[in-house]
Amino acid sequence: MSLLEVKDLKVRVEEREILHGLTLTVNPGEVHAIMGPNGSGKSTLSHVIAGKPGYEVTDGQILFRGEDLLEMDPDERAAKGVFLAFQYPVEIPGVATMNFLRTALNAQRKARGESEFSTPDFLKKVREVAKSLNIPQDMLKRGVNVGFSGGEKKRNEILQMALFEPAVCILDEMDSGLDIDALRIAADGVNALRSPDRAMVVITHYQRLLNYIVPDFVHVMSKGRVVKSGGKDLALELEASGYTQFEDAA
Amino acid sequence: MPAVQETVERVKRIDVDQYRYGFETLIESDKAPKGLSEDTVRFISAKKSEPAWMLEWRLEAYRRWLTMTEPTWARVNYPKIDYQDIYYYAAPKPKKTLSSIDEIDPEILKTYEKLGIPLREVAILEGVEPPPGGEPSANRKIAVDAVFDSVSVATTFQKELKAAGVIFMPISEAIREHPELVKKYLGSVVPTSDNYFATLNSAVFSDGSFVYVPPGVRCPMELSTYFRINERNTGQFERTLIIADKGSYVSYLEGCTAPQRDENQLHAAVVELVALDDAEIKYSTVQNWYPGNSEGLGGIYNFVTKRGDCRGNHSKISWTQVETGSAITWKYPSCILRGDNSRGEFYSIAISNGHQQVDSGTKMLHLGKNTSSRIISKGIAAGVSQNTYRGLVTAHRKATGARNYTACDSLLIGDKCGAHTVPYVEAKNSSATFEHEATTSKISEDVLFYCTQRGLSQEEAVGLVVNGFVKDVLQQLPMEFAVEAQKLISISLEGSVG
Ligand SMILES: Nc1ncnc2c1ncn2[C@@H]1O[C@H](COP(=O)(O)OP(=O)(O)O)[C@@H](O)[C@H]1O
Ligand SMILES: [Mg+2]
């Protein structure tokens, strides 16, 4: 059984169709890259998979390990192992990052019928992961993403991904706004999480990120459809020729 | 004897006579007759065995009240109150005695559970008592212990306070036992003529607390601990007077997070604080009165006058309030910064959900030199509620170097509620520095989605965001209550999204 299957998905926002029948199949251990110009519907796809309200699915299916994901609330999907690293992580003033991480992790564990982490175990785990991502302890005491630099916000997303150990990680433009050093740290963090039972969907506008996170498959999206799929070389091809050749195909 | 004095004496005699002959049978009853008249005032005073001067004080307030009209400037709407259709005195009714925890309404038990209040304390708060005779069952045993406990705990506290010289007793007792203190300070911060509701309270107040902390004494405990176990049902017209003498300190907590119901719809309390030189009073309130049902029927109207007088130099008064209950809240805890270098603080969390209406804020009146004040107000509106911050900061001509910082933040949950900020500022001298910041925000879909994507339920997400929003104020509460108040906030917003 596939881990994640998006079948002929049609999505509307405010009466306008954004995704026009999109299909994507992701198996455990695979890394898929989704590339496409701005406005092609990449973020929309990631939001609909994660369950953001405000999107109307008019046709198609999303299955997660064979289960109908569209029937589940966002928190249920999270507890099942769907993780979305946001293109624009929000700020939550007054809520210390550490507190947020713990509340979220324990909520997921509880939903799965697992015991809550004890405080020492939790702290140990967070410190380990934070260290590997070059996240200072001090940052964890601050409000969630409040006053974080672009790079810090993205690292905070990857920190959460590492903590929650999801089955499917969707990374929406994690390279945007990062300089080369920050990008390398973030990519190393992601690569460390690659494993035979985990899949990743890496959404990006630029080929650059894929030098660091090397995908197994590349899909090109344009105007709400996947217009071409291939191996990692497709990304290089795109880099050379640009997206315009696909505009018409869509 | 000067004429005035003579009149006073005569009036006193009349009062005493009336008491002696007119009230005998009435006094036996537990309830004053419905409605408000001089007789009602006399009845209450007699019930409390008050000295003549106290009765006169009340009567003066009553006569004054007759000349006043109910204020209408607050942003609250309610049907006209018929003041003749209210009972002004009822002997504190013991709650219906329950013989085991099992008899408590499961809904109420659920709330306690969410608040994390231990069962034994729930037993006390809900008035569970052991049945007369008979072998106590497991459940009953908890109740028995709890009741015994509360008595012994209270006694221990009393001993400790006495050793420190702190007077802490019902105000009705203080009127009899410490008349010189009460005469000197009662009405000295909130005069009997102050405002419609305060004047009403002055005429008919039922009971409340009296605290006097002698010079140089740091009150050895949070007066909250004691309060929570003992002082319930003080009635609808509560009167509190706290005096911190020179160089003393006291922290007082009123109310509790436990859900409070009362058959009386109208509540009009008065709280007066007096801080002398170098003294500090910290007054915290958690208010969780019944807010009414989902249609907005039956909640408590809470019209409160709270004022602190920083009478001495270098004195400090700090108000912290968490307001989650009541159908209507009309409340402006204020500070008169009379002493030079005195300081006033106001930290507030006011939550309105359902059909609740909150009009609350503070007044900081700078009279002395180099006085400073700080206002941190967090209003949260959900449902179809209306939440108004109303504040006044003034600097007197002589209040050179007065400083104020005000931050009013409002958070809206949903789009049918309203938040309003009405700040008045008046500086009569040019050396005053007043800073004001105000924000209004909504809990955005994006923030909620972010949290739910990380595994939190919709309600957990709202609770988390809200608690982040009010954190600065929660930190001002005594530790034990901060934790409960935090849970209370989440509970009071349940069902506000989704
Ligand atoms: N909430 C929304 N309301 C209206 N239009 C939207 C909304 N979200 C996205 N769109 C539109 O959907 C299209 C795809 O957007 P998006 O998924 O963000 O693309 P990408 O992430 O590939 O840049 C765009 O034309 C965008 O304007
Ligand atoms: Mg996007």
Side-chain angles (χ1 to χ4, degrees), chain A residues 13-14 16-19 36-45 47 52 54-55 87 172-173 203 205 221:
Chain A
V13 177
E14 287 165 9
R16 188 179 136 218
E17 193 169 272
I18 309 278
L19 300 181
N38 279 333
S40 55
K42 305 184 297 295
S43 291
T44 301
L45 173 65
H47 289 156
K52 185 173 183 175
Y55 296 91
Q87 180 171 2
D172 193 0
E173 310 254 5
I203 295 172
H205 186 86
M221 248 184 102

Side-chain angles (χ1 to χ4, degrees), chain B residues 46-66:
Chain B
K47 263 288 182 194
K48 302 269 169 194
S49 313
E50 285 176 356
W53 62 266
M54 193 64 235
L55 173 61
E56 191 46 39
W57 195 87
R58 286 179 182 271
L59 285 171
E60 196 188 305
Y62 171 68
R63 290 173 196 135
R64 180 76 186 210
W65 183 76
L66 289 176

Side-chain angles (χ1 to χ4, degrees), chain B residues 240-410:
Chain B
T240 297
L241 175 59
I242 299 176
I243 303 134
D245 213 322
K246 291 178 182 171
S248 69
Y249 169 85
V250 61
S251 165
Y252 185 94
L253 193 130
E254 170 210 313
C256 72
T257 51
Q260 295 185 81
R261 299 205 171 228
D262 192 307
E263 287 158 29
N264 302 306
Q265 191 161 41
L266 174 66
H267 281 240
V270 171
V271 176
E272 296 179 277
L273 312 181
V274 180
L276 301 183
D277 287 350
D278 302 299
E280 179 176 347
I281 301 174
K282 190 173 161 56
Y283 192 105
S284 316
T285 308
V286 175
Q287 186 264 111
N288 191 18
W289 290 107
Y290 181 53
N293 68 9
S294 52
E295 272 90 54
L297 292 174
I300 302 283
Y301 298 172
N302 198 23
F303 299 100
V304 193
T305 304
K306 289 185 166 176
R307 195 172 303 153
D309 189 353
C310 285
R311 208 163 281 183
N313 295 335
H314 296 280
S315 56
K316 179 177 169 186
I317 288 176
S318 168
W319 298 101
T320 305
Q321 62 173 26
V322 178
E323 301 279 322
T324 63
S326 296
I328 297 176
T329 303
W330 181 100
K331 181 177 172 190
Y332 317 89
S334 309
C335 295
I336 303 169
L337 304 167
R338 203 184 299 277
D340 290 346
N341 299 297
S342 60
R343 179 168 172 84
E345 293 175 346
F346 174 74
Y347 299 99
S348 169
I349 299 169
I351 298 182
S352 53
N353 196 359
H355 290 260
Q356 284 178 279
Q357 306 174 58
V358 177
D359 196 300
S360 184
T362 185
K363 286 190 258 182
M364 293 289 173
L365 311 177
H366 294 255
L367 305 179
K369 293 183 179 55
N370 297 318
T371 47
S372 63
S373 59
R374 182 178 168 85
I375 298 169
I376 308 287
S377 163
K378 306 277 181 179
I380 300 164
V384 291
S385 67
Q386 295 295 327
N387 202 320
T388 302
Y389 168 84
R390 190 181 298 278
L392 171 68
V393 180
T394 67
H396 189 265
R397 200 166 33 81
K398 289 179 186 153
T400 49
R403 275 167 296 134
N404 165 267
Y405 173 75
T406 298
C408 291
D409 299 317
S410 307

Side-chain angles (χ1 to χ4, degrees), chain A residues 50 52 74-75 78 82-84 86 90 93-95 100 103-104 107-108 145 157 160 164, chain B residues 444-447 449-458 460 464-465 467-469 471 486:
Chain A
K52 185 173 183 175
D75 49 318
V82 175
F83 182 90
L84 169 62
F86 285 79
V90 297
V95 179
F100 179 78
T103 310
Q108 290 192 20
N145 293 322
E157 294 294 285
Q160 295 176 57
F164 301 156
Chain B
S444 71
E445 283 285 328
D446 286 346
V447 169
F449 177 54
Y450 188 84
C451 294
T452 52
Q453 199 317 287
R454 298 301 138 93
L456 299 177
S457 70
Q458 188 89 340
E460 287 168 330
L464 193 83
V465 173
N467 275 303
F469 176 73
K471 192 172 133 217
Q486 181 171 352

